[in-house]
Amino acid sequence: MKKRITCIFFICWSVLSYAQITTFQKTIGGTENEEAYHIQQTTDFGYVICGYTSSGNNAIQHQEPLIAKLDQNGKIQWMYTFNDGTNDNGHFRYVSQTSDGGYIATG
């Protein structure tokens, strides 16, 4: 009897520990390469995402750092890319909401 309880507990724990709930699925970006490196839920229950995009209007493809804010349903509230006029590649690898409600991204 003891082995059966252990086995049932293990199966239930395994199922619950791997269960994930998808809040929404969203594709952000253009026709070229985009990649998200970090996502964080915000205090308004939305999300802030950072990474890079290669879908700019430039003739030469390069990677521009990107940061985007989504609401809790996945609708884009704002999105910014950063280009200093050079063809250098850049990425944001981490984003966090600050205590004053702003955002900080590093790359």
Side-chain angles (χ1 to χ4, degrees):
M1 182 69 172
K2 195 174 195 179
K3 289 182 182 179
R4 184 177 296 170
I5 293 171
T6 304
C7 182
I8 291 171
F9 171 75
F10 177 73
I11 291 170
C12 291
W13 179 80
S14 296
V15 170
L16 292 175
S17 67
Y18 291 107
Q20 295 181 5
I21 298 171
T22 301
T23 305
F24 60 83
Q25 291 181 336
K26 182 78 173 179
T27 301
I28 299 173
T31 59
E32 298 299 327
N33 296 329
E34 281 78 25
E35 190 167 338
Y37 287 115
H38 190 252
I39 183 169
Q40 183 183 51
Q41 191 165 30
T42 57
T43 56
D44 64 356
F45 302 104
Y47 300 90
V48 63
I49 300 170
C50 70
Y52 75 86
T53 180
S54 296
S55 294
N57 294 324
N58 301 325
I60 299 174
Q61 289 296 316
H62 65 279
Q63 298 167 347
E64 297 176 357
L66 176 137
I67 185 169
K69 172 70 172 72
L70 310 177
D71 68 12
Q72 63 188 17
N73 298 313
K75 182 179 176 186
I76 299 172
Q77 294 181 312
W78 50 261
M79 181 168 47
Y80 296 105
T81 60
F82 299 86
N83 182 348
D84 63 1
T86 67
N87 290 324
D88 294 336
N89 290 331
H91 309 96
F92 283 136
R93 299 247 180 212
Y94 180 79
V95 63
S96 183
Q97 188 171 24
T98 59
S99 61
D100 64 357
Y103 301 93
I104 185 167
T106 61

